[in-house]
Amino acid sequence: MIKSGSDLVLKMSHLHVGQVHEQEVVRNLSRVQIVQYAGASGDFNPLHVDETYATEIAGYPTTIAHGMLTMGLTGHMLTDFVGDGLLTSFGGRFVAVVYPGDTLIAKAEIIAFSRQNNDDTVELNVTTENSRGEIVFRGRAKARIEP
Amino acid sequence: MVRFPVERGAVISFARSIGDPNPAYYEEASSMSKSSQAIAPPTFSIASAQFDPEFPFRPRIGEPTTAPLATTSSKETRLPGLHAEQHFDYRRHVKVDEVLSVVSREGKRWTKINTRGDTLYFQETTTEYLDESLDVVVVARSVIVRVVDDQVGE
């Protein structure tokens, strides 16, 4: 079920350390979506869009998704959780390759609350897994919340 | 410095490509969102590559898209790099219809040896996105890794 974002601001009083928000962000990733992302981002690295290049020159079993597509999909989960325009940081490492056909589940776990530039802030561990349970993206995010 | 207009159509196209139907990114957001102005998804600033004349993976009219990367004599650059890390710090969210200026600078470089004995070359780049008042909107830090294929001769 694809959800959409929200103007709602998370309230600290409704949150606790260890709380998890989890969301399927893509099911059976299509080559069309990878090409769609290439066009939208401007990144036509042939590893992502050219099967012959990916297999015969680069040595992959097929084309691979952009790491930034995985991060964009993960960002969808984050904004659904924390609300629109409230992230103050989001980053991480691309730790495994994503292929056409993959299904990805993105997860945010609350690890701390803090004050940042006079704003109440929630700190999140972020992971995205494929359907084989392999982590493909691992990172952190922070977002403003209400007291 | 690269001029990066945040066009409504580009933001909609980007939001569709990440499968996000959030109305805040679409035209109707101006009437549906408290922000009163459509905004861009949090990773949208990466699409400034569309306007970067030096971005290597933008197809160029009349030029082959893969051959230069595949036939270069340098082992380090024979294959295109992979994105190893990406980090964004947001001072505020990017708004549709604003024009950002993009300034990038190269950072640290380092190498590692992987379990196969290949050398991995890492390159960090920091990119600032500034608004028309030259206030920082987003700071992005990326790390690209290139894997040298030691099976291929010089």
Side-chain angles (χ1 to χ4, degrees):
Chain A
M1 171 78 179
I2 301 292
K3 296 167 58 183
S4 62
S6 157
D7 277 340
L8 294 175
V9 180
L10 292 175
K11 291 181 183 295
M12 190 187 295
S13 56
H14 297 167
L15 303 172
H16 59 85
V17 171
Q19 186 173 335
V20 172
H21 173 82
E22 185 176 293
Q23 193 169 318
E24 180 182 288
V25 290
V26 70
R27 179 173 295 180
N28 190 15
L29 175 66
S30 71
R31 291 169 190 269
V32 169
Q33 186 166 358
I34 293 172
V35 171
Q36 200 178 2
Y37 186 80
S41 66
D43 183 349
F44 281 89
N45 183 332
L47 282 174
H48 308 307
V49 295
D50 184 332
E51 181 75 8
T52 303
Y53 183 92
T55 57
E56 296 181 10
I57 295 175
Y60 285 91
T62 185
T63 54
I64 63 175
H66 306 71
M68 286 305 300
L69 172 54
T70 299
M71 191 171 181
L73 294 163
T74 304
H76 175 190
M77 174 278 296
L78 277 175
T79 51
D80 279 0
F81 182 39
V82 306
D84 299 331
L86 295 169
L87 284 173
T88 57
S89 68
F90 173 31
R93 296 176 57 213
F94 306 103
V95 294
V97 171
V98 172
Y99 292 105
D102 279 356
T103 293
L104 299 180
I105 309 284
K107 183 164 66 175
E109 178 182 1
I110 296 174
I111 55 171
F113 299 98
S114 61
R115 293 280 292 175
Q116 181 177 295
N117 299 324
N118 294 321
D119 288 320
D120 288 302
T121 299
V122 63
E123 300 185 20
L124 305 163
N125 258 345
V126 179
T127 52
T128 302
E129 288 183 10
N130 62 25
S131 54
R132 298 177 295 282
E134 299 162 339
I135 293 176
V136 297
F137 177 84
R138 178 183 286 125
R140 293 276 182 93
K142 293 181 182 177
R144 294 192 304 275
I145 55 174
E146 289 187 349
Chain B
M1 182 180 291
V2 171
R3 185 175 178 275
F4 176 29
V6 181
E7 300 159 321
R8 181 175 303 279
V11 170
I12 289 172
S13 174
F14 191 92
R16 286 177 181 154
S17 79
I18 58 170
D20 194 338
N22 185 345
Y25 307 139
Y26 295 83
E27 190 166 14
E28 58 269 33
S30 56
S31 58
M32 296 180 67
S33 167
K34 275 196 285 190
S35 66
S36 78
Q37 185 175 9
I39 61 172
T43 60
F44 176 76
S45 50
I46 205 78
S48 62
Q50 302 274 18
F51 297 91
D52 181 352
E54 297 182 2
F55 184 67
F57 300 121
R58 183 174 66 184
R60 288 168 169 75
I61 296 168
E63 294 182 19
T65 53
T66 59
L69 297 165
T71 59
T72 176
S73 61
S74 162
K75 284 178 71 177
E76 183 180 344
T77 57
R78 180 170 280 114
L79 295 175
L82 290 175
H83 221 134
E85 295 181 37
Q86 182 68 43
H87 305 269
F88 297 99
D89 285 315
Y90 306 101
R91 309 296 160 80
R92 65 167 172 79
H93 53 262
V94 173
K95 299 173 186 171
V96 167
D97 291 336
E98 68 177 332
V99 178
L100 301 176
S101 297
V102 184
V103 183
S104 293
R105 62 180 185 278
E106 290 193 350
K108 292 181 294 184
R109 284 172 176 256
W110 67 96
T111 60
K112 281 185 185 173
I113 308 293
N114 70 9
T115 52
R116 289 175 28 190
D118 294 329
T119 305
L120 311 180
Y121 289 81
F122 293 86
Q123 169 70 62
E124 181 186 68
T125 302
T126 299
T127 304
E128 287 188 328
Y129 297 80
L130 313 171
D131 64 16
E132 287 160 280
S133 303
L134 297 182
D135 290 328
V136 176
V137 178
V138 179
V139 179
R141 183 171 66 84
S142 65
V143 177
I144 301 296
V145 59
R146 289 185 171 83
V147 185
V148 171
D149 181 353
D150 286 331
Q151 304 304 309
V152 181
E154 292 285 357

